[in-house]
Amino acid sequence: MFIHNLLVSCFHFLEKGTSGRVMASTVFTAFLILPFSVKAQTQDSIVKKVTRSAAETFAERMPFSIDFKQYGNYNFTSSLRGQDLPAGTVTNWSQFTASANINLIQRRRWLLQGNAFYRVINEESNFSGSVAGVPQRSKNEYQYFTEGLNISYFSRLFGKTVIYSAGVNVDGSERSFERIRGLFFGSLVLKADDKTRMNVGLLASTDPSSMLPGVPIPTFLYQHKFNNGLEADLFLPQYLYVRKQMFGNGRLSAGWELDPNTTFFLYNAGQDRKTYQYRQIDLNMGLAYEHILPGHIVLGLRAGYRMNPYSRAFEKDRSFSDYAWKASNDPAPYVNLGLSFNPFAKRKK
């Protein structure tokens, strides 16, 4: 979600720091306008104001977030360097994450941001058989962090707003620092009006553990509000949702989201006792409900099924495609509780 958060931050920055013409072309408010049929004009006006205020809050980037996810039990098979290992069952997989994304310096044409992310995973597994060196039961805790800086520059290209961004991050665990990686991103705003927003871009990363290190990946952002109160929210290759605002301060979403960022480091692993990196690619499908609480706090609840096409472990200095261990996991139900907040938001009357 980092790129999506970056785009949201940049759009809000442009609204505040550039000319009125650029502000109008990049406005990211009125995220979900739910139509009401109210006879009294004063009531209709109040409802519209409340709805618009809630939509603006959902559209904002929240600087701080915490999140807890729990998977149901699921079976898996795995292999190590081509040799099949005993099948197993994950009886517990829970993870807690905390993140921060803060604007540090803002100028008319550029923006400097700081970001930090922490995850702790608790995992328990049972195995159906035994192989030398493989325990029948395992219980582990894994911690992972990343933090860094990102700078964005705003310009014009073909008469349209374009955003150039570059970032550097440090990855590691509670034991030590492990890697420095770079991220490069460019986005061209094709359309931005009251109903539709559309961007195209390119994303590239120097992270060797990513699926395509150093290869530019096309991105496409499309958001459209329909007359019946529904909104299509698409950001490829990351997510696709259909959203609708409910109960004044709530929003219901249905769709899917690709999460390639579940990763951590394994120390003294294997016979060579080297440092390995584990990474899994998750496809989460289901429903999400978010509700705005007092104090500019957003509470979120998600539930659905997780598909896991890739789970791999590889030496830290090698790539995702050059793996030593891989697993095939069955689908699993999940529930996700999150809380995000913005202590810097100005109170609105």
Side-chain angles (χ1 to χ4, degrees):
M1 292 297 287
F2 171 75
I3 295 300
H4 176 261
N5 290 339
L6 170 64
L7 282 173
V8 174
S9 302
C10 291
F11 285 129
H12 280 288
F13 169 79
L14 288 170
E15 291 170 15
K16 295 178 181 179
T18 58
S19 67
R21 183 177 59 182
V22 176
M23 288 170 57
S25 67
T26 58
V27 119
F28 192 41
T29 57
F31 207 55
L32 295 166
I33 303 301
L34 181 63
F36 287 88
S37 176
V38 183
K39 293 183 180 180
Q41 181 63 34
T42 55
Q43 291 179 339
D44 182 67
S45 177
I46 291 173
V47 170
K48 287 183 178 179
K49 287 181 179 179
V50 171
T51 303
R52 184 168 60 251
S53 177
E56 290 173 356
T57 300
F58 284 127
E60 290 179 5
R61 173 193 58 84
M62 295 295 178
F64 301 100
S65 298
I66 57 175
D67 186 276
F68 177 79
K69 179 182 284 187
Q70 177 72 55
Y71 292 127
N73 294 1
Y74 60 92
N75 299 322
F76 69 92
T77 57
S78 62
S79 63
L80 177 63
R81 294 187 173 89
Q83 179 183 357
D84 290 340
L85 299 176
T89 300
V90 174
T91 57
N92 176 61
W93 182 290
S94 61
Q95 58 188 50
F96 170 82
T97 63
S99 62
N101 194 342
I102 302 174
N103 296 345
L104 300 177
I105 302 176
Q106 300 185 43
R107 294 294 183 266
R108 185 176 180 273
R109 288 194 173 273
W110 61 273
L111 170 67
L112 179 66
Q113 296 172 297
N115 61 82
F117 178 87
Y118 170 79
R119 174 189 282 123
V120 57
I121 292 174
N122 288 286
E123 175 267 341
E124 297 179 33
S125 300
N126 293 331
F127 295 90
S128 59
S130 61
V131 171
V134 178
Q136 288 188 305
R137 291 186 179 182
S138 68
K139 183 177 181 180
N140 302 285
E141 179 182 281
Y142 306 104
Q143 298 184 49
Y144 170 82
F145 72 82
T146 180
E147 54 190 25
L149 294 172
N150 188 88
I151 186 167
S152 301
Y153 179 76
F154 314 103
S155 184
R156 304 285 290 181
L157 184 65
F158 308 125
K160 298 184 179 295
T161 300
V162 62
I163 305 168
Y164 304 99
S165 181
V168 59
N169 279 70
V170 175
D171 293 356
S173 70
E174 78 282 9
R175 293 195 181 187
S176 67
F177 148 79
E178 297 297 343
R179 177 183 290 122
I180 296 178
R181 56 186 173 88
L183 182 70
F184 306 94
F185 181 65
S187 179
L188 178 68
V189 181
L190 298 179
K191 185 176 182 180
D193 57 30
D194 291 340
K195 283 199 170 185
T196 305
R197 291 186 58 247
M198 184 165 56
N199 300 355
V200 293
L202 286 175
L203 168 68
S205 173
T206 64
D207 185 357
S209 70
S210 64
M211 294 191 68
L212 298 171
V215 178
I217 300 174
T219 65
F220 178 66
L221 175 74
Y222 179 77
Q223 294 170 331
H224 180 76
K225 293 180 293 182
F226 299 95
N227 293 331
N228 58 4
L230 293 176
E231 181 185 7
D233 189 0
L234 166 70
F235 182 54
L236 295 178
Q238 191 169 16
Y239 66 78
L240 169 62
Y241 283 105
V242 176
R243 307 186 189 273
K244 186 167 186 178
Q245 193 167 335
M246 305 178 66
F247 314 123
N249 284 336
R251 183 174 73 172
L252 181 66
S253 304
W256 59 264
E257 180 175 332
L258 184 68
D259 180 9
N261 297 317
T262 301
T263 184
F264 49 80
F265 294 97
L266 302 166
Y267 296 94
N268 298 319
Q271 296 180 351
D272 49 17
R273 315 304 293 175
K274 292 182 179 180
T275 298
Y276 284 73
Q277 184 172 358
Y278 171 90
R279 181 180 291 276
Q280 70 182 38
I281 311 297
D282 292 333
L283 178 63
N284 300 315
M285 299 175 291
L287 298 174
Y289 178 75
E290 301 160 279
H291 197 88
I292 302 172
L293 302 176
H296 223 72
I297 298 172
V298 176
L299 177 67
L301 177 64
R302 300 171 183 265
Y305 257 81
R306 186 280 312 260
M307 308 290 289
N308 179 238
Y310 298 103
S311 291
R312 297 176 179 178
F314 42 90
E315 291 184 29
K316 184 188 71 171
D317 297 328
R318 298 193 177 183
S319 67
F320 182 82
S321 60
D322 187 12
Y323 55 88
W325 176 91
K326 70 173 183 178
S328 176
N329 301 316
D330 289 346
Y334 73 91
V335 62
N336 194 166
L337 180 64
L339 194 70
S340 58
F341 53 98
N342 184 2
F344 313 116
K346 295 180 181 179
R347 293 185 177 181
K348 298 179 181 180
K349 295 183 179 180

